């Protein structure tokens, strides 16, 4: 294992068959593993014969322990960062550590693998060309509703995490604020024994979860259809791409290339560029 590197290692979100050979090799080869919860990671590592020293690294000690880990990497150690499950930093600690490592001129190497948001998105049957990973909504009803209001006009597919004790309330607020008719997919306990993937409208998901207590248990990924584009208006991302291209190309060529990249109508893009000067 190469010295002086921070490895960001994805681990299974449930099914241990998803542990990659490269992840196993990396975790065996580094000098130490920084784990979000050593109690949860120890059984996983034991199953794969990994006995590398393990240290707890979580949101409560990241600021204190981060500089110590950077010093060890600078001195030539290799360190692997793992979360409880899935890809680190996705609603998990690690951002400040990776930022500090890069600022120190260190290499940060991804060891890719399972990711709950991507797994949910891949089976939702909703557009994947543009999506917004929201993560967990605020737990308080008022703040949750305010956040959903900010997301209501987004045309990109929305991807949420949710906890079992809030799933009913979150779905109810989504249906009320975003619209009960929006298509959505509820993914529960992905890759685990009691995995559920249920496609419905937001209103239909409210009924589905409310009728079955078993569907209110476990870990959730919710994938929700984005807002429809307003008639006569271009998607914000289409406008952004068109504007960038128009800075370098003639308007007609920028409009044609934008349409080819995004699937938007060339005439609509052209009219936008002409109107915006």
């Amino acid at each position: 294992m190469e010295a002086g590197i921070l490895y960001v290692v994805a681990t299974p979100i449930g099914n241990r068959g998803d542990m990659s050979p490269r992840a196993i090799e990396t975790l065996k080869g580094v000098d130490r593993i920084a784990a979000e919860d050593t109690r949860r990671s120890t059984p996983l590592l034991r199953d794969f014969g990994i006995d590398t020293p393990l240290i707890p690294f979580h949101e409560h000690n990241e600021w204190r322990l981060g500089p110590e880990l950077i010093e060890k990497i600078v001195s030539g150690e290799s360190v692997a960062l793992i979360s409880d499950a899935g890809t680190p930093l996705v609603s998990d600690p690690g951002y400040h550590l990776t930022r500090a490592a890069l600022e120190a001129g260190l290499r940060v190497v991804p060891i890719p693998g399972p990711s709950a948001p991507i797994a949910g998105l891949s089976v939702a049957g909703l557009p994947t060309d543009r999506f917004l990973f929201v993560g967990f909504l605020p737990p308080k009803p008022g703040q949750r509703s305010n956040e959903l209001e900010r997301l209501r006009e987004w045309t990109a597919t929305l991807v949420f995490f949710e906890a079992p004790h809030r799933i009913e309330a979150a779905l109810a607020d989504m249906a009320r604020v975003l619209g009960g008719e929006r298509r959505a997919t509820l993914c529960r306990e992905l890759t685990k024994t009691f995995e559920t993937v249920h496609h419905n409208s937001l209103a239909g998901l409210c009924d589905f979860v409310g009728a079955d207590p078993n569907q209110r248990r476990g870990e959730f990924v919710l994938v929700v259809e984005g807002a429809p584009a307003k008639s006569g208006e271009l998607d914000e991302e289409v406008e952004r791409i068109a504007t960038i291209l128009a800075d370098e190309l003639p308007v007609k060529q920028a409009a044609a290339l934008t349409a080819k990249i995004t699937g938007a109508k060339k005439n609509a893009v052209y009219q936008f560029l002409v109107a915006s000067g």
Side-chain angles (χ1 to χ4, degrees), residues 20-83:
S20 75
R22 188 178 176 210
I24 296 170
E25 179 185 10
T26 300
L27 294 175
K28 285 183 176 180
V30 295
D31 294 294
R32 65 188 70 237
I33 299 170
E36 183 181 2
D37 187 340
T38 56
R39 296 167 300 180
R40 296 190 62 173
S41 297
T42 296
L44 171 71
L45 299 177
R46 186 189 301 124
D47 282 355
F48 290 100
I50 300 167
D51 57 5
T52 305
L54 202 60
I55 57 174
F57 186 82
H58 46 72
E59 60 180 339
H60 302 297
N61 72 356
E62 183 173 3
W63 284 104
R64 175 180 58 81
L65 190 59
E68 297 178 20
L69 288 175
I70 295 299
E71 288 182 10
K72 292 182 184 299
I73 300 171
V74 169
S75 69
E77 287 194 6
S78 56
V79 174
L81 173 68
I82 63 174
S83 63

Side-chain angles (χ1 to χ4, degrees), residues 11 19 26 30 35 58 66-67 83 92 98 116 120 137 143 148 154 174 203 221 247 249 274:
T11 56
M19 186 76 156
T26 300
V30 295
H58 46 72
S83 63
D92 285 323
T98 57
L137 288 166
Q143 294 175 349
L148 288 168
W154 280 71
M174 287 180 186
V221 176
D247 287 339
L249 301 169
V274 171

Side-chain angles (χ1 to χ4, degrees), residues 97-137:
L97 179 63
T98 57
R99 183 74 256 168
L102 293 170
E103 289 175 351
L106 299 169
R107 284 185 63 199
V108 179
V109 175
I111 309 297
S115 170
I118 299 302
L121 186 66
S122 71
V123 296
L126 292 171
T128 58
D129 54 336
R130 292 183 64 231
F131 64 91
L132 174 67
F133 174 63
V134 182
F136 287 98
L137 288 166

Side-chain angles (χ1 to χ4, degrees), residues 82-95:
I82 63 174
S83 63
D84 286 349
T87 301
L89 280 78
V90 182
S91 284
D92 285 323
Y95 160 71

Side-chain angles (χ1 to χ4, degrees), residues 5 46 54 65 76 83 90 108 117 138 147 150 157 172 186 188 221 225-226 241 272 274:
I5 292 179
R46 186 189 301 124
L54 202 60
L65 190 59
S83 63
V90 182
V108 179
E147 178 67 10
R150 284 190 284 269
T157 299
L186 178 144
R188 184 180 72 91
V221 176
E225 180 181 26
I241 293 172
F272 162 74
V274 171

